[in-house]
Amino acid sequence: MTNLKMIGAVLALSACTSEVSEESQQVGAQESPLAAEAPKRVIVNFKAGANKANVLRELKGKELLAIHGMNASAMELPAQALAALDKNPAVEFWEEDAPRKMLAQSTPFGIDMVQAPLVWPSATGANRKICIIDSGLYTAHEDHQSGKAITGYPTGWNADKCHHGTHVAGTIAAVNNSVGVVGVLPNGVNLHIIKVFGDDCAWTYSSTLADAANRCVSAGANVISMSLGGATKSKTEETAFNNAWSAGLISVAAAGNDGTNRLSYPASYANVISVGAVDSTKTIATFSQFNSAVDVSAPGVGVQSTVGALDLNTLVVGGTTYSGGYVDGAARSAGVTGTLVNGGLCDSVGAWAGKVVLCQRGTIAFVDKVNNVKAGGGVAAALYNNVAGGFAGTLGDGVTSTIPAISLSLEDGNAIIAAGGIGQAATAASSFTEPASGYDFYDGTSMATPHVSAVAALVWSYNTSWTNARVRKALEMTAEDRGTAGRDNYYGYGIVRAKNALDYAIANP
């Protein structure tokens, strides 16, 4: 018998980024559950005809999950019982039940970048089903009310306290109506939601993910979308995705947000498409993991999509309202008013008593900018981007501020200055209502992943008799080459392009 336990870092998806490195924010909580002397969570794969109940009784264990479609279970066992697993004649192999976390960051720019509108006259995705494995979906959202059938598992799949799964679903399928945003597939793709993250948004496990993948197959899905990952490989999990591929599905997963060459799973399995993230200039994101497993890349910086909460962050200057994003950790306020001053980069403390301070992103971390504004007597900080578009910001894990801070796009920051807003009265407001139909900008390979999942379904819907191999090859062979000529470890084959992929699939059987 083979002991496949892989002790290592966990890791995964972050919904937003800050000037603080992603990797530094993930230290500590990533230790493998097998490293402690508490009961151990493992996956046990049984031989045909084995009596699981006897094994549990002998080892004084507890079954946590019988993995759908496999003769395997997630179990909690006493630490001293692990050695006995290697000798148990009923056990094929066992391994760590590796944690999996969320990777976690108008027409959003990514929709045009992946050429989705160019394909809509030919294919809509209405005959395809995408299985989203994530934190659920707020199905009452105004942008998820028509044009698609939505099913899910388990009970509670139709709620989403984390908002991550709802954001992913919006990129895939936000409907083409008079409000909000539009997705890659706004005209009727079917969704099946598997909720693997609870309301605490903490990690899930490889056993749960294997179970979810098998349930996607059973639900008749064509594409599996996973904006999640972890550093530890799982044979059980890999088998589930190999089986999904053999059943004709395409599985897509986030490459990871560490900004390193570390492999992430399930993205790095051969039968899963690994996705890196690019910004609006088609440049690879600094947080996007780069390695030999990266297949393609897609928009993953400043991606606007649906969330299950109304997060209103505004700056009113000279009668004009500028809408932005919440800087995580900052105070909420119904509105604070003061004269607007230009703090530049806000990399030092100014004489800002009673002022609302406009700061440009760059040079120092968001938390340092906000602290400088507060130290100078400022009543609110408005941080505008240093590249095109909006952004999601954070003061850091567990860090808070007593003054409100909001994020604005580069365009809005420049417009405020050009319109003579400096020196005028300005009101900054930040409020949060949940549940509600809202929209937000997230960064992460998590945000790139649904672009690719949706493009795969869009291309495939033109001809449902095509194989998963044909569609995957079309995506890879027609991706817009970026970085080093040919495939490289950052962009993979390049940025996915729906129209080019469809033309290739038609011409190359």
Side-chain angles (χ1 to χ4, degrees):
M1 246 154 313
T2 306
N3 175 0
L4 297 177
K5 59 183 179 181
M6 307 285 290
I7 310 295
V10 168
L11 161 114
L13 47 234
S14 141
C16 60
T17 60
S18 71
E19 305 295 340
V20 181
S21 75
E22 291 289 327
E23 191 168 12
S24 67
Q25 294 181 27
Q26 295 164 358
V27 175
Q30 328 251 337
E31 231 180 274
S32 164
L34 293 184
E37 280 307 312
K40 310 304 179 183
R41 179 167 178 144
V42 297
I43 303 174
V44 180
N45 282 258
F46 294 92
K47 293 180 179 178
N51 190 319
K52 290 195 292 184
N54 287 344
V55 175
L56 284 168
R57 185 171 56 255
E58 292 170 7
L59 300 179
K60 297 181 174 58
K62 174 184 178 183
E63 184 176 49
L64 303 174
L65 173 70
I67 301 177
H68 179 72
M70 288 181 170
N71 191 22
S73 293
M75 295 184 173
E76 187 174 80
L77 297 173
Q80 62 271 23
L82 298 183
L85 283 175
D86 289 327
K87 302 174 183 178
N88 195 302
V91 175
E92 184 69 35
F93 69 90
W94 67 274
E95 60 186 345
E96 173 190 358
D97 195 358
R100 295 290 182 259
K101 291 183 68 179
M102 288 180 282
L103 291 181
Q105 24 195 41
S106 61
T107 300
F109 77 90
I111 306 303
D112 289 322
M113 187 182 291
V114 300
Q115 299 182 332
L118 298 180
V119 176
W120 292 341
S122 303
T124 65
N127 53 20
R128 299 285 84 184
K129 181 183 287 188
I130 297 179
C131 188
I132 302 174
I133 302 176
D134 211 291
S135 59
L137 170 62
Y138 175 56
T139 53
H141 196 287
E142 61 189 5
D143 245 339
H144 292 288
Q145 290 306 300
S146 63
K148 55 185 177 290
I150 308 177
T151 55
Y153 175 87
T155 300
W157 65 267
N158 55 349
D160 181 14
K161 283 283 189 179
C162 305
H163 309 297
H164 191 270
T166 302
H167 197 279
V168 166
T171 295
I172 290 173
V175 299
N176 190 6
N177 52 21
S178 60
V179 298
V181 296
V182 62
V184 174
L185 293 162
N187 301 312
V189 69
N190 301 309
L191 300 180
H192 188 66
I193 310 300
I194 304 288
K195 184 170 184 171
V196 296
F197 296 106
D199 290 347
D200 60 358
C201 310
W203 59 30
T204 188
Y205 291 88
S206 53
S207 60
T208 312
L209 192 53
D211 180 84
N214 294 336
R215 291 184 184 277
C216 289
V217 176
S218 296
N222 308 109
V223 178
I224 300 175
S225 187
M226 299 167 287
S227 293
L228 47 78
T232 306
K233 189 174 183 179
S234 163
K235 183 177 178 181
T236 307
E237 185 179 74
E238 183 176 22
T239 298
F241 290 108
N242 288 343
N243 291 343
W245 177 262
S246 297
L249 281 74
I250 290 176
S251 300
V252 186
N257 296 338
D258 284 350
T260 69
N261 63 356
R262 190 175 69 182
L263 294 173
S264 184
Y265 300 94
S268 297
Y269 299 133
N271 284 324
V272 176
I273 296 175
S274 176
V275 184
V278 300
D279 62 20
S280 59
T281 70
K282 301 184 178 180
T283 303
I284 197 72
T286 56
F287 58 76
S288 190
Q289 279 168 238
F290 51 94
N291 51 57
S292 59
V294 175
D295 287 284
V296 292
S297 46
V301 179
V303 175
Q304 186 182 28
S305 187
T306 56
V307 292
L310 191 58
D311 196 352
L312 296 178
N313 301 277
T314 59
L315 182 68
V316 181
V317 186
T320 301
T321 299
Y322 300 90
S323 296
Y326 175 58
V327 177
D328 188 44
R332 296 287 188 173
S333 172
V336 292
T337 301
T339 301
L340 184 67
V341 296
N342 190 346
L345 289 169
C346 294
D347 52 357
S348 61
V349 177
W352 298 323
K355 312 291 186 183
V356 175
V357 185
L358 185 67
C359 307
Q360 187 169 35
R361 182 181 186 179
T363 305
I364 62 174
F366 298 141
V367 64
D368 296 323
K369 293 177 186 290
V370 175
N371 284 342
N372 285 343
V373 171
K374 180 182 175 183
V379 294
L383 314 177
Y384 70 102
N385 213 349
N386 54 2
V387 296
F391 68 97
T394 177
L395 300 183
D397 289 346
V399 180
T400 60
S401 174
T402 57
I403 65 170
I406 67 172
S407 65
L408 298 172
S409 68
L410 172 64
E411 294 79 2
D412 283 348
N414 288 339
I416 291 169
I417 296 171
I422 304 303
Q424 295 191 44
T427 300
S430 177
S431 63
F432 184 79
T433 305
E434 182 185 39
S437 295
Y439 302 86
D440 207 350
F441 293 89
Y442 285 2
D443 298 343
T445 53
S446 281
M447 286 52 259
T449 298
H451 283 91
V452 176
S453 305
V455 166
L458 180 59
V459 171
W460 207 347
S461 68
Y462 180 85
N463 188 335
T464 59
S465 69
W466 287 343
T467 65
N468 53 354
R470 183 170 179 171
V471 175
R472 177 173 179 171
K473 185 169 185 179
L475 298 185
E476 295 172 343
M477 293 299 97
T478 62
E480 181 180 347
D481 194 13
R482 301 287 294 175
T484 304
R487 194 214 156 270
D488 63 70
N489 287 352
Y490 289 84
Y491 296 88
Y493 288 97
I495 301 170
V496 290
R497 298 184 293 184
K499 181 62 167 62
N500 291 55
L502 177 59
D503 292 344
Y504 182 94
I506 293 171
N508 294 276

